[in-house]
Amino acid sequence: MKIIRKGNTVYTRNKRSAKEHEQFLNDIKQGLPFISNAIKEKTSGAIQIFRRYDNIELLGALSVNHLSDQMGEEDGGAGEVILEYGMSLSSAIREGNSLPFPSSTVLDELINTLSDIKFLYGQMYTFESLATPEEGDNADEGLTRIKLNAVIESLSVRGVGYYQHVEEIFLGLFSQHDKFLVDNYGFTAHELITTLHELESSWAIRQETKIGPHPLLIRRFMDWTMEKRIFPPVPSLENVKKFQLENPDVLIDERGFKTFRINEIGDYDALFKIRYKNEVQQKVVEALSIEFGENHDFLDGKVPGHMLGKTKIHQTPFLKKRNGDSYLFSYALPSRHFLKIGQSLIEKADPKYYNKYYLGNAQQICRDNFIERKVEEIFRSFLPEVEFYPNAKYPLKSELPNKKDEFTELDLLGIGNNDTYLIEIKAGELNEAAKRGAVESLVNGIKKNVGKGISQSERAAAFIREEEAPVFKINHNKATITVDKTKKIHRILVTLDSFLGLLTMINTLESASVVEKKDDFPWIIHIYDLMVFAEIISSEQDFTDYLEKRIPLNNWKAFTTHDELNLLGCFLEDDLIFKKQVRHLDSFTLGHYLHDIDAYFYKKQTGFKPVIPTRKKKK
């Protein structure tokens, strides 16, 4: 295999002969049983470590390992993956009695073992996808690629959006159900988010830095002294004791503030234990906690401790001991699963309410209706010169004589000066089986949402093309608008689910017959990515330029990228233009173009004044 890197793009070309390739696949087949056995042995070893040693110290060390490695280029998110995997294993095991603290050697062994397991699972699924299927199997190359991509995506614990966008969607969606949440749990959606912010701050102020107490602790103490008019604002033992009465999440001893080094074995219980400042915090943590051992299904499956096995830590990220103390070892974990947490809270409290007032579109506060309103709001924000009409109805011609035409609906119609936007919106999500690579569930989920949305947008486009004067009913059927057939039509499909990075792999979905073959496809975009476009795209002209360059990439079967925002970065940097000579290569993968976009949202989230990335080249 020849691999070529030019700038940010990677090209590959298979240089093996047919005989060499056959031997290569045969070697892979023979190696699969060894990989499977290695996974079982490594998993058993990890479970034994959790059974023998204090789990709070083990998980604290995994958390610190993640924090230490997450900024390194070589980590690639592995630290976070093995932390969450460790939490799933630990929460599946009943709490032991007075287990010893692990040594640094044991901690290194645990980290290395979990890292090996992650690598082996990735290797196993990759080898399975490469191995030639036996005659008679229904294995299909396209389906195999889809499954592999879904599994690797699930193994990687990649975020589906920037935090501020994830939080914005969560608050908009679940604040509609605040009365239900208060009645059943004692807190609102906003209070849940606020609690997580406050608990993360509380965890930080218990850390000891190289120069003393954490800056957040110093700032909180100084604000308190100003409020109490204490001068001079020194952390005397008397002042510290008074301060702690109003800040019970702060620890003190006879010397004053008590803080902890994050790399000190034996300190992790004090560092990670939740200390409540108010009743709301306690209610939130209680609702999102799971006791050690309650996640036993994770070890009771067909493959005990499978890395993609069913786990409860996504809905209940706090781990609770028998004595009632709760701990959170990953503050990124709740934010990655906000929607799952909100849905779980509602469904667990009242399944009937969940089905009637959350799912579907029967009520204004239902998920589908909220997402449609939000998508309209996003498009209006960055295309202010375009007029948008939600729920625009148009007739379906009846093929039967003397039968009236039936009307169908386009979720959002956009009319610009030179362009028409046909926008379909899908709020459906993949189930857990699909995210574990179950092909039937994966295919059905994609067909139901992506496939259906593609067909619906094509149907609306066909109506405009075929009608002499295409008329849509708008404003709840109180008015009509005739679409100008001379304007360029842009078909767009917005989804709530990221569909495991498969939205940029349309040619693969087509080859696997997951979506119908089309001459062209709509622009398919995850809602969190759309929110990024809304902040960065500076004009309708740039947006339509992007669409004109982006849509043809769906037909380049050699082209690969798993991130729409990476394409946006390439558009800003290189105008999404690729040289023609790359077409003879077997494949080429777009490299990393996200630096400027990541930097913008990082600065925005951390309070710095960000510089919006701009388009550098126009060709």
Side-chain angles (χ1 to χ4, degrees), residues 214-224:
H214 197 283
L216 288 176
L217 175 57
I218 296 173
R219 185 186 308 166
R220 194 197 291 187
F221 178 76
M222 295 302 292
D223 290 344
W224 177 81

Side-chain angles (χ1 to χ4, degrees), residues 396-413:
L396 292 177
K397 294 296 182 181
S398 174
E399 296 180 358
L400 299 176
N402 303 321
K403 185 176 181 180
K404 292 184 178 180
D405 295 338
E406 295 182 357
F407 278 79
T408 190
E409 187 175 276
L410 175 68
D411 290 330
L412 189 62
L413 171 66

Side-chain angles (χ1 to χ4, degrees), residues 265-276:
I265 299 172
D267 283 353
Y268 294 141
D269 188 288
L271 183 59
F272 286 95
K273 185 168 74 174
I274 303 299
R275 290 173 172 82
Y276 307 110

